[in-house]
Amino acid sequence: MEVYLCCRTPDKVVALADRAYGNFKGASPECLDLLSRLTLRANLMSKRPSVPYPNSSIEWLFLGAHQRYVNGNPQAAMEILGQYKQFIDTNSPNTDDVWSALNNNLGVLYSAMKKHNMSVKYMQQALKEHLKYASENPSKINPSKDRHLYVFNLGISLLKSNRPEDAFECLVEASRHYSNNPRIWFRLAECCVMNYNKNNRQENIVCKMGTGAHAKLIPGRNKDKYSISGESYAIPTLTLEFAALCLMNAITLLPYKEPSPDFA
């Protein structure tokens, strides 16, 4: 079931769970709890209505917050995550990489509420906690398993905070792991365009005509702006040429769909 979730095929998880419930009647409560959580994750992924969750563990707390987030209520999800102290002993050693997940989830919720600077703060803390846990528990965690996810989320938060240079560095690192995901190439192109507009907006204005509501800016193009010295555009740099390459990668990776007969 976990493999099906990783492959983003929730329908197979639900079908397998329906068969499993009949065979797990005498199973331990821990096993049934795990089966219920996997089923809820599949329902959330496929956007099916979900039953109320038992508020019995930090895992269920995360799933409940995720359920509110998917339903478009990040504020309610934030309130649910605020109950984490019931399940995490802040004075005892962390037995799982919980702090990273908690800070990451809070960062996602702040981003959904358009509080991007707060989102950056929590994303940075999530990455910091993950690296700390990985160094202290090398036998319990694969350092590369979730690192790229946290780096990617941090990059998105930085981009939404109008910090394209910092976002670009994070997304370039994450792209080494998610190279087949068109979204990351689109976001890299967005960084390049945002950085170009930020640094070169005034250079493209030839003159201003009119005043008030009738004012018009006459754009121009600096012919010496683009280099033809033979430099490779495949090297990650904040340029429009690299942005074009990223967009071509994104288009190539998009799933192919048969054209509609109406447009044949």
Side-chain angles (χ1 to χ4, degrees):
M1 293 174 71
E2 188 70 50
V3 172
Y4 283 144
L5 286 172
C6 292
C7 295
R8 304 192 70 80
T9 53
D11 292 338
K12 294 183 179 179
V13 177
V14 174
L16 187 59
D18 290 340
R19 296 197 300 270
Y21 275 116
N23 300 325
F24 279 38
K25 291 181 179 179
S28 64
E30 292 80 7
C31 185
L32 292 174
D33 185 72
L34 175 59
L35 184 61
S36 298
R37 293 204 309 268
L38 291 170
T39 304
L40 178 56
R41 287 171 58 191
N43 288 332
L44 289 172
M45 188 177 293
S46 58
K47 298 182 179 180
R48 291 189 181 93
S50 301
V51 297
Y53 65 95
N55 190 8
S56 57
S57 67
I58 189 65
E59 291 84 1
W60 280 110
L61 201 71
F62 285 164
L63 286 172
H66 188 188
Q67 185 176 2
R68 301 301 190 278
Y69 172 73
V70 170
N71 291 337
N73 194 345
Q75 187 63 49
M78 187 78 71
E79 293 175 1
I80 291 176
L81 286 183
Q83 304 172 25
Y84 72 91
K85 292 183 179 179
Q86 299 179 25
F87 308 105
I88 303 178
D89 186 356
T90 57
N91 297 319
S92 64
N94 189 7
T95 58
D96 208 347
D97 196 16
V98 175
W99 291 115
S100 305
L102 179 62
N103 282 284
N104 177 77
N105 292 349
L106 288 171
V108 170
L109 294 176
Y110 275 117
S111 180
M113 293 188 291
K114 310 299 182 184
K115 298 179 180 180
H116 302 305
N117 290 327
M118 288 294 294
S119 176
V120 169
K121 174 185 174 182
Y122 280 96
M123 292 299 184
Q124 290 173 333
Q125 188 63 26
L127 184 57
K128 179 181 177 181
E129 292 288 347
H130 177 70
L131 296 176
K132 177 183 176 182
Y133 182 80
S135 63
E136 294 177 351
N137 303 272
S139 62
K140 293 185 178 180
I141 190 170
N142 179 2
S144 63
K145 179 177 179 292
D146 295 319
R147 172 185 168 86
H148 296 93
L149 172 64
Y150 297 139
V151 171
F152 174 78
N153 287 346
L154 175 59
I156 297 299
S157 295
L158 288 167
L159 180 61
K160 292 182 178 180
S161 300
N162 296 317
R163 296 165 61 180
E165 300 93 339
D166 298 330
F168 186 79
E169 293 182 10
C170 291
L171 293 175
V172 166
E173 180 180 343
S175 68
R176 301 187 181 102
H177 188 76
Y178 300 118
S179 57
N180 292 329
N181 190 333
R183 290 185 178 90
I184 198 166
W185 294 108
F186 175 79
R187 293 299 189 177
L188 282 168
E190 193 174 357
C191 289
C192 296
V193 173
M194 182 182 293
N195 183 71
Y196 180 83
N197 290 336
K198 181 179 178 181
N199 297 329
N200 302 283
R201 186 172 183 179
Q202 294 299 325
E203 296 182 13
N204 292 328
I205 299 176
V206 175
C207 64
K208 179 178 179 181
M209 298 181 63
T211 58
H214 302 287
K216 293 183 179 180
L217 299 178
I218 308 299
R221 181 169 179 174
N222 189 344
K223 295 182 180 180
D224 298 328
K225 190 67 182 176
Y226 303 97
S227 172
I228 55 174
S229 59
E231 297 178 356
S232 175
Y233 297 144
I235 299 175
T237 51
L238 281 165
T239 62
L240 294 182
E241 291 84 358
F242 185 70
L245 181 62
C246 290
L247 291 174
M248 286 190 289
N249 287 346
I251 293 172
T252 303
L253 291 169
L254 287 173
Y256 176 76
K257 291 184 178 180
E258 291 289 342
S260 172
D262 296 336
F263 297 93

